[in-house]
């Protein structure tokens, strides 16, 4: 029940693809293709090649989240297709939020190193080797120049993920905010990074570029990690029902209502069914009402002792789900969740119509992996 996280191999593959595209643009410009049509007007074309490759590389790093979204696939993972009993993850604007932090932090340095290799290759046959003391001129002779490029590309990718964290954080309750954040943040980031790479980086003195790269990397990482943590916490609170409702804000002393009070941190309810209290005089059972709850992590049967005190009686893994049933016994509705390789869970009481709908939904989920709309 996890997103299909991007693998290291796929991250490297995208990094090489970015490097290849940038190197192809550099080669075309460096060859002075345009000068063949009008030598007088485009005679300086080869000397724009360093600016072209720097501009493309930084611009692409600033929209790194787009590649991460492709690598992460959609919200329906392969494991869910293979096992139809596995509930689906909630929708996500930026799937990288669900990927491991270590995997996210690796994108920047891997892509930066791939870009540096492309720059080394391009510099080996460049028509303009650059001036000594500049980033382009010192590329093969001063390690600080290479480190400056790595740090700046890495920092640009980190800023892309930081902006995307904001989009993810507001995706649940403010539908227009994520699109606005992505368009404004990533659009301006791409424009700013591309212009800086095209007009300034190649001729920027190495003695200035290196500390600038160090500062940008530190600041971007310091922004990315807490923003991503905050986005995950906010999404988890929203999905698990921990956000305050209108009723709970009207006055003090209100407790969390079932089944939210029985959920684990970050757990999200997919569907539930509430039975009525049993008749203690007729069968000797408890008078506490019971309910069946299906979340994105488990299926459990719980007893509601008092509002805000729901006690889990038994639970099972989602992969064990095989269906549901609704039956009438002695004028009482019995709602049952069926499993593979374990005893079913049953709850008495409630509405026959509601019980039937719940059983049908559980059966559809077990067969298709999706709850009916």
């Amino acid at each position: 029940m996890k997103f299909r996280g991007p693998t290291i191999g796929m991250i490297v593959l995208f990094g090489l693809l970015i490097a290849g595209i940038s190197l192809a643009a550099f080669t075309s410009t460096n060859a002075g293709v345009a000068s063949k049509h009008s030598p007088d007007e485009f005679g300086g074309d080869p000397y724009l090649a360093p600016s072209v490759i720097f501009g493309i590389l930084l611009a692409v790093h600033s929209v790194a989240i787009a590649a991460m979204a492709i690598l992460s696939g959609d919200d329906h993972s392969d494991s869910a297709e293979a096992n139809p009993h596995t509930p689906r993850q909630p929708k996500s604007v930026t799937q990288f939020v669900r990927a491991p932090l270590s995997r996210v932090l690796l994108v920047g340095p891997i892509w930066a190193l791939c870009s540096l290799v492309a720059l080394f290759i391009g510099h080996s046959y460049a028509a303009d080797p650059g001036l000594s003391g500049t980033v382009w001129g010192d590329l093969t002779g001063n390690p600080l120049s290479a480190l400056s490029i790595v740090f700046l590309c890495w920092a640009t990718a980190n800023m892309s993920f930081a902006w995307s964290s904001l989009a993810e954080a507001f995706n649940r309750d403010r539908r227009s905010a994520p699109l606005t954040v992505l368009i404004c943040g990533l659009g301006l980031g791409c424009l700013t990074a591309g212009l800086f790479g095209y007009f300034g980086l190649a001729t920027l003195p190495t003695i200035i570029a290196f500390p600038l790269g160090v500062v940008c990397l530190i600041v971007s990482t310091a922004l990315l990690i807490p923003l991503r943590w905050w986005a995950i916490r906010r999404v988890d609170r929203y999905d698990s029902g921990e956000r305050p409702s209108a009723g709970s804000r009207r006055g003090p002393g209100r407790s969390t209502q079932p089944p939210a009070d029985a959920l684990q941190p970050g757990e999200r309810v997919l569907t539930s069914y509430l039975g009525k209290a049993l008749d203690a005089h007729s069968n000797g059972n408890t008078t506490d009402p019971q309910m069946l709850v299906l979340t994105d992590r488990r299926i459990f049967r719980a007893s509601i002792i008092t509002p805000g005190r729901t006690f889990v009686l038994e639970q099972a893994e989602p992969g064990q789900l095989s269906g549901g049933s609704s039956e009438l016994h002695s004028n009482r509705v019995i709602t049952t969740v069926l499993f593979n390789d374990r005893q079913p869970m049953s709850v008495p009481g409630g509405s026959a119509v509601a019980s039937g709908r719940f059983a049908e939904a559980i059966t559809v989920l077990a067969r298709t992996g999706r709850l009916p709309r």
Side-chain angles (χ1 to χ4, degrees), residues 247-309:
S248 64
R249 289 193 296 264
R250 283 194 290 265
R254 295 183 180 270
S255 58
T256 304
Q257 298 300 307
D261 56 333
L263 298 179
Q264 300 169 352
E267 191 173 16
R268 185 174 68 96
V269 175
L270 300 180
T271 185
S272 63
Y273 175 76
L274 175 63
K276 291 183 178 179
L278 301 180
D279 188 353
H281 299 288
S282 62
N283 52 27
N285 291 326
T286 176
T287 58
D288 296 330
Q290 297 184 3
M291 68 187 314
L292 296 168
V293 183
L294 171 64
T295 75
D296 56 352
R297 299 181 183 178
R298 56 179 173 155
I299 304 168
F300 63 85
R301 180 173 66 92
S303 176
I304 303 174
I305 302 175
T306 58
R309 293 186 59 195

Side-chain angles (χ1 to χ4, degrees), residues 22-355:
S22 303
L23 190 58
F26 172 87
T27 303
S28 175
T29 310
N30 184 70
V33 174
S35 63
K36 296 180 181 179
H37 303 285
S38 179
D40 294 336
E41 185 176 355
F42 299 104
D45 223 26
Y47 297 94
L48 295 177
S51 298
V52 168
I53 191 170
F54 276 120
I56 292 176
L57 287 175
L58 286 184
V60 173
H61 277 76
S62 68
V63 291
I65 184 57
M68 285 292 286
I70 296 173
L71 292 177
S72 298
D74 57 20
D75 293 317
H76 300 160
S77 65
D78 292 339
S79 60
E81 294 295 338
N83 184 359
H85 307 311
T86 302
R88 305 290 180 164
Q89 280 276 5
K91 291 184 179 296
S92 170
V93 172
T94 54
Q95 282 88 342
F96 88 98
V97 172
R98 299 296 186 183
L101 177 61
S102 58
R103 197 69 52 85
V104 172
L105 294 178
L106 280 176
V107 174
I110 289 176
W111 286 13
L113 290 176
C114 292
S115 301
L116 184 62
V117 171
L119 290 170
F120 278 134
I121 295 174
H123 194 275
S124 66
Y125 59 86
D128 177 18
L131 298 176
S132 178
T134 64
V135 172
W136 181 246
D138 290 349
L139 184 61
T140 57
N142 187 346
L144 295 182
S145 174
L147 288 175
S148 301
I149 296 168
V150 170
F151 291 162
L152 287 172
C153 288
W154 187 351
T156 305
N158 283 352
M159 287 304 299
S160 173
F161 294 143
W163 274 107
S164 303
S165 296
L166 293 176
E168 180 68 33
F170 295 107
N171 182 41
R172 297 298 190 272
D173 53 346
R174 300 181 183 179
R175 294 299 180 181
S176 61
L179 184 60
T180 302
V181 170
L182 287 176
I183 291 177
C184 294
L186 301 187
L188 290 175
C190 181
L191 180 62
T192 303
L195 291 177
F196 172 71
Y198 185 83
F199 289 106
L201 185 53
T203 58
L204 189 68
T206 305
I207 195 172
I208 297 177
F210 177 71
L212 177 64
V214 172
V215 171
C216 289
L217 180 59
I218 294 174
V219 171
S220 64
T221 305
L223 286 174
L224 168 60
I225 294 177
L227 277 177
R228 182 179 177 276
W229 177 85
W230 171 72
I232 293 175
R233 293 293 299 169
R234 195 174 192 278
V235 170
D236 286 343
R237 283 197 301 268
Y238 191 93
D239 288 343
S240 64
E242 294 179 9
R243 62 192 186 285
S245 62
S248 64
R249 289 193 296 264
R250 283 194 290 265
R254 295 183 180 270
S255 58
T256 304
Q257 298 300 307
D261 56 333
L263 298 179
Q264 300 169 352
E267 191 173 16
R268 185 174 68 96
V269 175
L270 300 180
T271 185
S272 63
Y273 175 76
L274 175 63
K276 291 183 178 179
L278 301 180
D279 188 353
H281 299 288
S282 62
N283 52 27
N285 291 326
T286 176
T287 58
D288 296 330
Q290 297 184 3
M291 68 187 314
L292 296 168
V293 183
L294 171 64
T295 75
D296 56 352
R297 299 181 183 178
R298 56 179 173 155
I299 304 168
F300 63 85
R301 180 173 66 92
S303 176
I304 303 174
I305 302 175
T306 58
R309 293 186 59 195
T310 300
F311 181 75
V312 177
L313 301 174
E314 56 180 331
Q315 60 185 11
E317 297 292 331
Q320 297 177 285
L321 179 65
S322 66
S325 68
S326 176
E327 300 175 341
L328 189 63
H329 292 291
S330 301
N331 295 326
R332 172 171 290 167
V333 178
I334 303 295
T335 308
T336 304
V337 178
L338 305 173
F339 300 96
N340 298 315
D341 303 325
R342 65 154 290 150
Q343 293 295 319
M345 297 180 188
S346 297
V347 164
S351 166
V353 175
S355 175

